[in-house]
Amino acid sequence: MASFTLKIDNKSNSSLNLLDYWARIKGTEGKKYITKLVTSDVKKPTVPANNSTYLTFYAQVDKSATISTLSIDFLKWDFSRPNYESVVGNLKPGNNGTITLGQTQNSRLNQNLLGISLKKYTMYEDSKYAYVNMELNITNSSSLLLKLDDLQYQVTTNSKQILSGTAGYKDLSLKAFETKPVTVGVAIPRDKWDNNMTLQVLGSEGGESNILLPLANIVLTKLKSTAALPVNKPNTLNINGNSLTIEAGESTVSELEGKTEMTSTVTIVNNEPNAITLPSLSFYVKTKEGLLYPLQIEKTEDVTFLPKMKQELKLIGQIPNKQVLGTSQLVYFLKNEETNIKSFLGNFAIKLSNGDQEENTSNASKEKIYNGLKIEQLSIQRTPNNLNDLIVAEFKVTNTSKVAKPILNIEGNFVLDKVQLKENSKIKSLDSTLVLAPGQSYRFIAFTTIPYTQVVKNYGFKMTEVTADSKKNSIHTFSVDNIYNARLLAENEEYQIETVGKRGSVKFLNSSLYESSSTNLVYAELEYVNNEQRANAVTSLNGYLRNKKGDIIDLKFESYEHPILPSDQLIMATYATLPRNFSMEGLEIFFGEAVTVAEGITAAVSPVYTDNVKLTAEPKNNFVSIPIQQYQLSIRDIGAYIMSSDSFAADTIELQFEYDLLLNEGAPNYTTDHTILVEFDDMSNPRFKFSQEFKLGELESKDDNLVLGKGLDKTFRYKNNSIGSKQFGTFQLNIYDVYKGHKKLIARRTLDMGTINK
């Protein structure tokens, strides 16, 4: 889409009739494009004497066209000519239509003149994305109010790929001749990165077609990662039109029960003349590999920043270990609560307080070279298994020689606090390998059970090879200083399943709480990707839920019976049903590749856990694009009416609505289906409350389902003989997500009885 804004100066003493003129956008070799006038200019009949006006024309042009190859003919209708028009003049842009950092582009949006410039940017990278946050200055150069929510942002690459940008503001306007800084964030995939990307600022032309016109093209040349600010050095930024200054303090680290917790502080100053509430900020420890470990803000309820006053926020979160902080940063984002998209704001260096500096640590013996084979202890975990605990040690064997080697016949015993258990541990190979070629590896586990009440400080495993002639050769005693139940999973990290023939990756997506009258249900979704080179069955997972008190409840993973293609995705559901009095404080979800080690005993190989378990979320206050699994549901034109089932006494409420149910583009399959519950609640006394549950995405429309499509009608009724004796005014319509007899409120609205609520 290309647009030209023309300024017409009428320097005569009589008005200029604009109906006599038109314009046409042209390309190379005289190619003409169908040209239109923006809606706000269509009804401009004249230019008054000794006055001026603006007209904005636009056209859809070839993808290969650039501003420098376009021009616009200004035409006058001339009925003496064969084509009834004459060219008054041809105008070409004064530049190539782009600006760079620090330059200003003057544009017009409907009746507003505005100036747009890129002031500065911040950026950080991980293995998959570059996260860029840009601060723009936008000036309203007219006398009318300018609503910035009418603007949209996108980044385009040289290959014409488009990446959506996220504005760091909501419901923000500019008064006449006012300038405000605003932020725009975008995540750029590494495979789409180039050194000449462009930030495009777009605005709606105001008509029914809602066409977006380009207002500014800002070239982003040679972007590079932002250096971390040192501790106690302030950074000033703008969030939703408000100026804030933020600085980081020193951090401390504590270790307890095999976990490492970091505590840090940030100080925020409100630079505005009025008080503001805490914006939706997210803080993380970012490692040099780009992994993000969340830090929670302590006591976020009703945090208000008074003008010019410093306020300290305490940040707490788990990290893999203390040593990782030497090459990590403290990064922070602004989260859009509606879209759940985070925009990068800035980064600080991490400095430990003097009494908590990093110390050198030494690991116990974890590897051994044996007959040309390198044997590594990958992990050792103690995990719950009913009334016993399961000790599982995982090993990797790599052929470091130049000739093929047979698979070792291994046996061994666990050593607890330097006491060797009498019973041989069980051994199970994880990979289907018969012979090891040079450089090839395979994995196996050794496991045993002990009472869950058994206290152990030091763990080891004495490994022996049983040769073909039944001789036993001692290989090594592997030991660790500290056992761990599982490895902490970063928020943006994928758990890798390495078993040959079952390879895949699993990413923790989200969690939520569903409720019933007798129990609660914790639900989580995981994204599974098949990393094998052929269609394959989904690798089974095993896991459990644990709270701060150490109470444990097993997770159930929904099965999926169909093979999935290479690199294909599947959303896996897992859940745990909990007693109502089960403590929700400090919840952690543990999971790993499931391996059946004996009848009735399943272990999780190389388990991981996340403490990023968030169960509460505010329901939407509208019914537009409600997300439910792979669908988007919109409900409108809602009416609730008093009726009579016998044409005599009022005893029925009929609820009717129109809906759209759309399938998300490229949506993966899910291992389970959810339903929705539409509930009428008049919120008064005596209370009338009724509901209807609906399946989603069915092929044939029935009373108990919603089918894919737009503008579809649905009606259901509730009968109660007391309805006629009650006065109804307003009611609340609730939409619940329902799973296994439990429900979660996802949207609600207060509506009027007896009328259509849009």
Side-chain angles (χ1 to χ4, degrees), residues 498-513:
E498 302 290 354
T499 302
V500 176
K502 297 182 178 181
R503 285 173 292 210
S505 62
V506 181
K507 184 177 181 181
F508 182 85
L509 295 180
N510 57 66
S511 56
S512 51
L513 180 68

Side-chain angles (χ1 to χ4, degrees), residues 254-546:
S254 61
E255 295 181 348
L256 181 65
E257 297 180 351
K259 296 180 180 179
T260 305
E261 186 176 83
M262 172 177 152
T263 301
S264 190
T265 59
V266 293
T267 302
I268 297 179
V269 178
N270 171 19
N271 300 321
E272 297 296 322
N274 51 285
I276 61 173
T277 56
L278 175 67
S280 186
L281 298 177
S282 301
F283 294 86
Y284 296 86
V285 171
K286 181 184 82 73
T287 68
K288 66 177 181 180
E289 296 83 13
L291 299 178
L292 297 176
Y293 296 93
L295 301 175
Q296 305 299 330
I297 303 174
E298 191 175 63
K299 296 180 180 178
T300 59
E301 298 86 358
D302 301 321
V303 176
T304 301
F305 296 99
L306 298 176
K308 314 301 180 183
M309 296 288 290
K310 285 187 177 182
Q311 186 151 336
E312 186 176 272
L313 299 179
K314 186 177 181 181
L315 311 176
I316 302 174
Q318 289 189 48
I319 57 175
N321 52 63
K322 187 176 179 179
Q323 289 70 38
V324 76
L325 296 180
T327 54
S328 296
Q329 299 176 359
L330 175 65
V331 298
Y332 51 103
F333 298 80
L334 178 67
K335 182 180 178 181
N336 186 314
E337 295 295 345
E338 291 188 358
T339 63
N340 217 28
I341 296 175
K342 296 191 292 287
S343 298
F344 173 64
L345 292 179
N347 50 335
F348 290 103
I350 295 175
K351 181 182 178 182
L352 296 178
S353 60
N354 290 332
D356 208 2
Q357 293 298 323
E358 183 179 327
E359 301 173 357
N360 292 325
T361 60
S362 59
N363 292 324
S365 175
K366 296 181 67 175
E367 65 178 54
K368 175 71 175 180
I369 300 296
Y370 174 76
N371 291 343
L373 300 172
K374 181 181 179 181
I375 305 174
E376 302 171 85
Q377 179 188 290
L378 299 181
S379 65
I380 183 168
Q381 301 99 26
R382 178 173 177 171
T383 59
N385 182 62
N386 296 323
L387 295 180
N388 291 319
D389 278 359
L390 193 65
I391 301 178
V392 181
E394 182 181 356
F395 297 90
K396 179 180 179 181
V397 181
T398 304
N399 183 0
T400 58
S401 71
K402 296 182 179 179
V403 297
K405 294 277 186 177
I407 301 300
L408 292 174
N409 183 14
I410 296 293
E411 68 176 35
N413 306 78
F414 278 96
V415 180
L416 308 182
D417 290 335
K418 299 184 180 180
V419 177
Q420 180 176 318
L421 300 184
K422 293 181 180 180
E423 183 180 350
N424 279 350
S425 301
K426 297 178 177 63
I427 307 295
K428 184 178 180 67
S429 177
L430 300 178
D431 300 307
S432 301
T433 305
L434 300 176
V435 177
L436 277 185
Q440 189 178 5
S441 301
Y442 78 99
R443 296 175 304 138
F444 67 90
I445 58 172
F447 59 93
T448 192
T449 57
I450 62 173
Y452 82 92
T453 55
Q454 179 69 50
V455 177
V456 182
K457 292 183 178 179
N458 301 106
Y459 297 79
F461 183 77
K462 184 177 181 180
M463 185 180 294
T464 302
E465 180 196 15
V466 181
T467 64
D469 55 1
S470 299
K471 291 183 179 180
K472 295 185 178 182
N473 297 330
S474 177
I475 296 177
H476 187 60
T477 297
F478 297 85
S479 60
V480 291
D481 294 329
N482 292 299
I483 197 169
Y484 63 90
N485 291 330
R487 180 178 60 82
L488 178 64
L489 192 70
E491 183 177 293
N492 59 336
E493 183 182 7
E494 296 172 352
Y495 168 70
Q496 299 297 326
I497 300 172
E498 302 290 354
T499 302
V500 176
K502 297 182 178 181
R503 285 173 292 210
S505 62
V506 181
K507 184 177 181 181
F508 182 85
L509 295 180
N510 57 66
S511 56
S512 51
L513 180 68
Y514 292 70
E515 299 176 309
S516 74
S517 59
S518 57
T519 57
N520 290 328
L521 185 144
V522 172
Y523 173 86
E525 290 181 339
L526 312 172
E527 181 186 78
Y528 176 90
V529 177
N530 176 19
N531 290 340
E532 291 291 343
Q533 294 180 331
R534 62 190 67 189
N536 206 11
V538 177
T539 303
S540 298
L541 299 180
N542 187 41
Y544 58 92
L545 180 77
R546 186 172 73 181

Side-chain angles (χ1 to χ4, degrees), residues 577-719:
T577 304
L578 315 174
R580 296 282 289 186
N581 60 353
F582 186 88
S583 173
M584 298 293 182
E585 185 179 1
L587 286 185
E588 296 170 332
I589 287 178
F590 293 72
F591 65 91
E593 178 189 354
V595 176
T596 301
V597 295
E599 186 176 353
I601 301 178
T602 302
V605 178
S606 298
V608 294
Y609 76 97
T610 176
D611 61 348
N612 193 28
V613 182
K614 299 175 181 177
L615 300 181
T616 58
E618 279 296 312
K620 287 170 66 74
N621 58 9
N622 61 70
F623 295 158
V624 179
S625 298
I626 305 170
I628 306 174
Q629 294 191 293
Q630 64 266 53
Y631 304 106
Q632 296 284 335
L633 173 66
S634 297
I635 297 176
R636 60 186 170 272
D637 294 348
I638 305 161
Y641 304 97
I642 307 298
M643 304 182 69
S644 172
S645 62
D646 58 4
S647 301
F648 178 70
D651 60 359
T652 302
I653 298 176
E654 180 179 270
L655 183 67
Q656 53 185 240
F657 57 86
E658 182 179 293
Y659 72 93
D660 302 335
L661 183 64
L662 305 178
L663 183 66
N664 294 329
E665 184 178 356
N669 289 324
Y670 282 67
T671 58
T672 188
D673 293 325
H674 290 214
T675 59
I676 67 159
L677 186 77
V678 179
E679 179 184 72
F680 173 100
D681 187 350
D682 80 334
M683 304 293 289
S684 64
N685 190 21
R687 196 166 185 172
F688 283 91
K689 196 173 184 179
F690 63 93
S691 61
Q692 174 73 44
E693 191 170 342
F694 297 100
K695 299 174 185 177
L696 300 176
E698 298 287 302
L699 296 177
E700 182 181 351
S701 180
K702 297 180 181 179
D703 290 343
D704 65 345
N705 68 23
L706 302 180
V707 298
L708 290 174
K710 290 184 176 182
L712 304 172
D713 295 323
K714 184 61 67 175
T715 300
F716 63 96
R717 296 180 178 89
Y718 169 72
K719 184 178 179 181

Side-chain angles (χ1 to χ4, degrees), residues 540-558:
S540 298
L541 299 180
N542 187 41
Y544 58 92
L545 180 77
R546 186 172 73 181
N547 63 14
K548 189 174 182 179
K549 294 166 56 180
D551 299 331
I552 290 173
I553 293 184
D554 288 338
L555 287 170
K556 295 181 180 179
F557 290 83
E558 296 278 12

